Amino acid sequence: MKAALKRAILLLNILLILAGCTSVTEKGNRVINTKMGSERVDGITYTSKGQNFRQRFIILHYTVSDRERSIDLLANKDVSSHYLITDRENEPIYYLVDENKRAWHAGISSWGSFSNLNDNSIGIEIVNKGFVMKDGKMNFYQFPSWQIHKTAVLLLDLIKRYEIEPQNILGHSDIAPQRKQDPGPLFPWKELYRDYGIGMWYDDTVKEKYKNAFSEGVTPEDVQKELKKFGYGIVVTKEYDEQTKNVITAFQFHFIQYKYDGVMDAETYAVLKALNEKYKK
Ligand SMILES: [Zn+2]
């Protein structure tokens, strides 16, 4: 009696396994039908080990416009982004472009060995007016905390699904420092890192190690090489020219934030060195 029961359970298991296999097989296979003929596609028998996601970067933006204009621009014009987070708390996150398609949000851009980041990034636009000039200074608009929380939840989901590395979560100004300021120095990168584990931040102890590095005879060439090593698109000209100032400003927007004058100093350099040590070995 006992042996018969065991046999029955074994048979049931085999049937379940077979049933499971069958459904998976059907899922991975398909038939192409065109007017020129049909072909069977087998997506089960062989699959490649060598593959990764096309989505390597996430680029954060602010829209520089109010909600209505932002929606109109992103939905009806020649610029677009995958996601839009508005300035209304009870509104959903809008999904404007399929994640597998290119959205037109990055423009001429580069990071490390990558250029044209529309090809391999997901763009998130956040409704925020950007900045106004006051007494020759840029005055930026705050992001409400609920808007940052919404952004973080979306980021966590994307990071998990596409296995996006912390060093590939960037602002528009990081990948286009000569043209762009967004998401600006009030975008809370540090809080995203500290509270949600999103993106890059430096370790204070490592930064401390480099606190005197700048005063010990750092040349413009050294600065340019460190910025380039980190990922910025910069030409090593061996002088503090306009393009270098813009890249330093972009770096400060992201990592210094209280100061974004484009002037390299001890603090900015120590942070840059600490980040390179942590992320660009
Ligand atoms: Zn942008």
Side-chain angles (χ1 to χ4, degrees):
M1 200 52 198
K2 226 176 170 183
L5 187 65
K6 267 189 182 169
R7 263 202 308 278
I9 289 168
L10 186 68
L11 187 68
L12 186 67
N13 274 335
I14 290 169
L15 282 172
L16 281 173
I17 289 164
L18 283 177
C21 284
T22 309
S23 73
V24 170
T25 306
E26 282 165 359
K27 237 185 191 174
N29 291 343
R30 63 196 161 95
V31 176
I32 301 170
N33 277 312
T34 72
K35 58 184 177 188
M36 302 300 285
S38 60
E39 290 292 339
R40 204 162 54 82
V41 178
D42 177 347
I44 293 293
T45 307
Y46 307 109
T47 51
S48 300
K49 185 170 167 268
Q51 54 176 298
N52 58 9
F53 290 108
R54 289 175 193 271
Q55 296 85 346
R56 283 175 184 263
F57 294 88
I58 300 175
I59 307 302
L60 290 143
H61 305 259
Y62 58 51
T63 58
V64 200
S65 307
D66 61 19
R67 177 186 172 279
E68 286 67 29
R69 206 173 114 79
S70 299
I71 292 171
D72 183 46
L73 277 173
L74 292 167
N76 303 321
K77 303 287 191 300
D78 278 350
V79 291
S80 57
S81 68
H82 295 91
Y83 290 98
L84 172 67
I85 295 171
T86 73
D87 55 357
R88 289 190 188 167
E89 191 171 2
N90 57 2
E91 217 168 19
I93 296 167
Y94 291 112
Y95 182 30
L96 308 171
V97 176
D98 188 299
E99 287 167 4
N100 291 312
K101 287 186 167 179
R102 294 167 83 250
W104 302 344
H105 60 99
I108 297 165
S109 51
S110 75
W111 188 254
S113 58
F114 295 90
S115 56
N116 241 327
L117 271 80
N118 281 341
D119 293 348
N120 46 22
S121 68
I122 290 181
I124 300 174
E125 288 276 3
I126 303 166
V127 171
N128 175 293
K129 286 184 184 163
F131 65 87
V132 281
M133 290 304 285
K134 207 175 161 191
D135 306 326
K137 251 198 97 196
M138 289 184 276
N139 277 271
F140 288 85
Y141 287 89
Q142 288 281 351
F143 295 88
S145 59
W146 62 261
Q147 207 180 25
I148 295 305
H149 179 73
K150 255 185 194 189
T151 307
V153 170
L154 174 60
L155 282 168
L156 285 173
D157 176 56
L158 294 169
I159 290 164
K160 191 174 173 205
R161 283 193 288 118
Y162 294 113
E163 299 165 3
I164 296 190
E165 294 180 46
Q167 53 267 47
N168 288 354
I169 297 165
L170 300 163
H172 200 184
S173 54
D174 291 315
I175 61 165
Q178 306 303 329
R179 303 184 295 118
K180 295 291 174 181
Q181 291 81 32
D182 60 318
L186 295 185
F187 187 77
W189 293 103
K190 186 180 180 179
E191 284 71 23
L192 279 184
Y193 177 82
R194 186 192 61 204
D195 301 342
Y196 302 90
I198 292 171
M200 295 182 272
W201 204 254
Y202 55 89
D203 298 332
D204 282 325
T205 47
V206 183
K207 188 192 92 176
E208 193 61 17
K209 206 169 78 181
Y210 291 111
K211 69 177 181 192
N212 296 321
F214 188 66
S215 56
E216 290 162 358
V218 169
T219 65
E221 184 182 4
D222 297 329
V223 167
Q224 288 170 333
K225 281 182 172 170
E226 286 293 332
L227 288 164
K228 197 182 173 78
K229 182 180 175 186
F230 190 52
Y232 287 99
I234 185 167
V235 184
V236 178
T237 56
K238 302 184 184 181
E239 54 185 85
Y240 286 121
D241 46 16
E242 194 63 21
Q243 55 121 20
T244 307
K245 191 179 176 191
N246 291 339
V247 172
I248 295 169
T249 305
F251 180 78
Q252 291 170 333
F253 278 157
H254 195 141
F255 294 105
I256 306 294
Q257 297 204 320
Y258 66 85
K259 164 190 182 300
Y260 39 90
D261 55 6
V263 176
M264 186 51 81
D265 62 3
E267 172 79 3
T268 307
Y269 196 66
V271 169
L272 177 58
K273 290 288 282 185
L275 284 163
N276 269 337
E277 182 174 317
K278 185 171 178 181
Y279 295 104
K280 308 284 168 171
K281 279 173 189 150

